[in-house]
Every structure is written in C-alpha cells, then in structure tokens.
Amino acid sequence: MATIGCASRVPTSAHAVGISRPSATRGLAMSARKPAPSRGALAVTAKAVKAPARKYQVDDEVTHSLTVERLEVVKSLEDFAENELLGLLKPVEKSWQPQDFLPDPESPDFLDQVRDIQKRSEGISDDHLICLVGDMITEEALPTYMNMLNTLDGTRDETGASDTAWARWTRAWTAEENRHGDLMNKYLWLTGRVDMRSVEVTIQNLIGSGMNPKTENNPYLGFVYTSFQERATKVSHGNTARYAVSEGDPILGKICGTIAADEGRHEIAYQRIVDQLFERDEEGAMLAFADMMKKQIVMPAHMMNDNEHREKTGRDLFDDFSSVAERVGVYTAQDYADIMEHLIKRWDIENRNLSGEAADAQEYLCKLPTRVRRLAERTSARKKKMQTSSSAEFSWIFNREVPLL
C-alpha cells in the first residue's frame, strides 16, 4: 500500500468486470453460481460464535462487526505480534533512507548530479511518468493508511504511543512506509518533468478525503485487505522499476525496486496475521476473505483529485490514472486475479474441510480468479473490436496528453 499502499491502482478492465473501483461493487459477485456468504455470516457462524460485540450503521456502512468471540481470537494473537510480527521490521540503523539515492547537497558536484538525473529522466515516457506520479501520490497519503489500521478493534493504538505489540507494529510499519513517498517525491521533483504544485494539490486533497476500504473496524477484514493491497503495491512498483531501467534510468529503477522489496516484506507480515486467523478460527477467516473479495479491494488512492481533471475531461482522475496503468501493464486485471490466486494458495483455501456458510465462501473463492480472468478477457476483446481510443490531459505532467485504454 503505500500501504495499504499503494500505490497500486485498480485496472480499467477490472472495473469493467466489477472488481476495481469503489463504484464497482457488484458485477463479479452477482455472476457467482453460489452466492458469497451473507453479510450476517461474518458476524455469526456455526463454530462457537454467539453474539456480536457491537454493530452499528454509520452513513449506511456497517461498523464494528467483530463479535465478542472473535475479538478474543484477535487478543490471542498478541504473543504472535510480539514474537513474530515485529521481527519482520528492520532496525532503523539497518534501513535505507531516501538520501542514499539522492544527490548530496553538500557535494561540490551537487548540481552536476541533478543534471544527471534530468538527463536520465528524459527517456521516461509520459505513460510511465503518470504511473510513477500516481504511485508517489498514493505513498504520500500515508496518514490515511495509519488511520485505517487504527480503526481496527482489538489492534488499534489506543493512546498514540501505546506499548502493545500491535501499536508498535503500526507505528514502525508507518515509519518504514514513510520513506517511500519521501524518496519518490524528491526524485520526481529533481527530474523537472513533473508539475509539483499540481501533485501537491492532489496529495493534500487525497489525505483530506481519506479512504473507505469497507473493513468495518474488523481486523479479520482489515488484514485480508492489507494482505492483498501490499502485494498489489509490490507488483506495481516492481513493474515501474523494470520500465524505468528499460527507458534509461537505472537509478530510478533501483528506487522503485527497493520500495517494491519493502512492500514484499510487509505483504508477508500481513499474510502471516491471516495465517494465524485461519489457524485459530478457520470459518471466520474464510468468511472474511470471501467478504472482502465480494466487496472488492478498493485501492487506497481512489479519492484522488487535482481540482482540475474532472472539470476539464468530465472523468475521474483515479479512473484515468488506472486506465493508463492498465494500458502500459503496470497494474492490470490479470494482476488482480494473480493476487487472488496467490492468496487462495497461501491460505490453502481449496483443501479445507468446511460446512455451511464457510463452505459456500470456500467455493466462491475457488472459482473467482477464473471468472475474473474470463470477464477481463471479454472486456478487452470487446474494446479491441470497438477500435475506439481516447486520451486525457494530466495536470501532473503540465497538461500533456496521454492515451487511455
């Protein structure tokens, strides 16, 4: 994700099949032969779950859906968080810092180093600049992602400086992620190819708007979300790294690759949390996984706004950014399906012996990646058959026009 990060974006064709943007919260789920578990199934299942702790409606959204029994499951993870989760963080003294990749302002060659960056960046296409800027904006909205983690019942930092393992994890994870936006922001500023004021307006708007991942203050849902999102962010940064190298900027490629490696380590951490949930509450974890897939993973920057794009084009900035990313292969509908398949294998979804609502959730999940791929392929074929194309001006790159999918 930056985070929950991301940088990642959701693909245009994924939007068409109902898995991408916040407005697309139906399509795919409606096409399932067996329905995903009901909303109530996550709160009450066959195995020893009796009554919800508390469950409210706020702005037509379910909040605090974790049951008393499942809150106890989460509390039982404190030793895991202390002894295993925190070990996936790197000590500050062993961590890279943005300055390791940037010109030294005290060096007599500082201006020459800046000119080198600007020369290398000349080969970066506008397509990939849009992807890099969108990734950077997503990373810079880090306060939102820390806030999201601190909405989760049973794991939140209750004071802002709590000494619980969960609270220390959230703060240290945030500190590691904070370097990503800092580095990308400074590097892109030095290239001279990005309208930084427009980018800064977008960042301020995005942080002010927040995000709604539909996790209901429920750590079961929240950690499924972060397990998916961190992997999506890793994929996106990994692809931009390869494109940067191919277009003549190996330093930028190293930057993106280093960030992708961080996201990969964070992905493992969140997936291990869900490993533990499956071990201790198999049915609850299965229902949570299916619930998040039914609602679709909303990307963290879905509320981005530069105060210009919609007025000029009549379209959503995030949608057009996602379209560019899909067209150039930075993050696509097939990547979305790949991540689902990875998580299905990681959590051994196919081989679990379940019944009732949990078994329905299991079947739903096992069929989902194939369905996503087929619908994405049909959408792509239909667009090619239509032979229509469009483009959009992006304020981030001084209103230069970039083709859309």
Side-chain angles (χ1 to χ4, degrees):
M1 199 168 302
T3 107
I4 51 194
C6 298
S8 37
R9 300 152 302 275
V10 184
T12 301
S13 63
H15 173 59
V17 299
I19 60 171
S20 60
R21 303 192 178 89
S23 59
T25 55
R26 295 172 293 277
L28 187 59
M30 298 296 291
S31 68
R33 180 174 299 175
K34 280 196 176 182
S38 65
R39 174 71 259 137
L42 190 58
V44 182
T45 83
K47 226 182 226 183
V49 177
K50 301 169 185 174
R54 54 198 184 280
K55 192 171 181 178
Y56 308 113
Q57 292 287 135
V58 178
D59 298 330
D60 296 322
E61 294 277 345
V62 175
T63 61
H64 301 289
S65 62
L66 192 67
T67 64
V68 171
E69 290 78 10
R70 292 204 165 111
L71 180 58
E72 291 304 312
V73 172
V74 172
K75 288 180 178 178
S76 77
L77 295 177
E78 183 74 24
D79 285 345
F80 159 79
E82 180 71 52
N83 298 317
E84 296 186 44
L85 188 63
L86 291 174
L88 290 168
L89 297 164
K90 284 192 173 181
V92 173
E93 59 273 16
K94 295 183 179 179
S95 296
W96 63 265
Q97 297 299 333
Q99 187 55 50
D100 298 337
F101 299 86
L102 298 168
D104 180 359
E106 293 185 329
S107 169
D109 300 326
F110 173 70
L111 293 178
D112 290 334
Q113 294 174 44
V114 172
R115 280 189 285 270
D116 287 343
I117 289 175
Q118 294 180 340
K119 182 68 175 175
R120 289 196 306 269
S121 74
E122 289 176 358
I124 304 297
S125 67
D126 283 348
D127 295 333
H128 291 131
L129 270 181
I130 291 299
C131 296
L132 287 161
V133 171
D135 279 358
M136 179 262 281
I137 289 169
T138 305
E139 295 283 359
E140 289 280 53
L142 184 61
T144 297
Y145 316 141
M146 185 179 188
N147 184 59
M148 175 264 178
L149 287 175
N150 280 328
T151 68
L152 301 179
D153 293 332
T155 61
R156 69 169 60 87
D157 184 344
E158 296 285 359
T159 69
S162 170
D163 195 43
T164 67
W166 291 112
R168 283 181 282 136
W169 163 265
T170 296
R171 294 195 301 269
W173 170 85
T174 302
E176 288 193 350
E177 290 275 342
N178 186 62
R179 300 166 303 156
H180 302 172
D182 281 357
L183 175 53
M184 295 183 75
N185 191 313
K186 291 171 182 174
Y187 194 90
L188 288 170
W189 176 71
L190 289 171
T191 69
R193 297 195 57 204
V194 173
D195 185 335
M196 290 306 298
R197 193 177 196 286
S198 175
V199 169
E200 289 158 358
V201 166
T202 309
I203 293 168
Q204 184 173 351
N205 278 331
L206 181 57
I207 295 173
S209 296
M211 65 179 287
N212 180 11
K214 303 188 189 314
T215 50
E216 304 175 9
N217 309 96
N218 187 328
Y220 280 65
L221 300 176
F223 293 133
V224 168
Y225 178 87
T226 52
S227 293
F228 191 108
Q229 182 57 45
E230 291 282 24
R231 189 170 182 86
T233 307
K234 179 183 75 173
V235 168
S236 179
H237 283 303
N239 285 330
T240 55
R242 286 187 286 275
Y243 287 125
V245 171
S246 69
E247 292 180 338
D249 194 339
I251 303 302
L252 179 57
K254 185 176 181 181
I255 287 170
C256 295
T258 300
I259 293 171
D262 269 2
E263 304 294 2
R265 182 163 45 84
H266 295 160
E267 167 203 351
I268 291 169
Y270 287 117
Q271 289 172 15
R272 286 186 184 175
I273 297 173
V274 182
D275 289 348
Q276 291 294 312
L277 292 175
F278 269 106
E279 183 176 311
R280 300 169 193 228
D281 180 12
E282 188 176 46
E283 292 187 1
M286 186 70 73
L287 290 166
F289 187 16
D291 187 63
M292 286 309 300
M293 293 301 97
K294 180 182 178 182
K295 290 186 291 195
Q296 293 94 45
I297 298 297
V298 175
M299 293 302 160
H302 67 268
M303 293 185 179
M304 63 169 53
N305 173 26
D306 65 352
N307 290 349
E308 299 180 36
H309 196 85
R310 185 174 292 280
E311 288 72 14
K312 289 190 301 187
T313 68
R315 294 191 301 271
D316 181 78
L317 175 58
F318 178 75
D319 287 356
D320 282 355
F321 159 52
S322 300
S323 178
V324 174
E326 167 117 3
R327 184 177 59 78
V328 300
V330 166
Y331 186 71
T332 71
Q334 298 299 333
D335 291 322
Y336 192 104
D338 287 345
I339 295 169
M340 283 193 293
E341 283 189 338
H342 170 79
L343 295 177
I344 287 167
K345 291 177 182 177
R346 164 86 193 206
W347 296 324
D348 197 26
I349 298 302
E350 293 183 359
N351 298 317
R352 295 180 181 273
N353 186 18
L354 296 162
S355 60
E357 295 261 23
D360 291 341
Q362 180 182 31
E363 182 176 356
Y364 172 81
L365 289 165
C366 290
K367 292 180 178 179
L368 199 53
T370 299
R371 188 174 298 115
V372 170
R373 292 189 195 282
R374 286 175 180 168
L375 291 173
E377 287 165 3
R378 289 174 194 163
T379 301
S380 179
R382 186 164 58 249
K383 287 186 176 183
K384 288 179 181 178
K385 188 175 181 180
M386 291 170 63
Q387 293 184 338
T388 59
S389 61
S390 59
S391 60
E393 294 180 358
F394 284 85
S395 65
W396 303 339
I397 54 171
F398 303 100
N399 295 312
R400 296 195 295 275
E401 203 167 84
V402 176
L404 305 175
L405 186 67

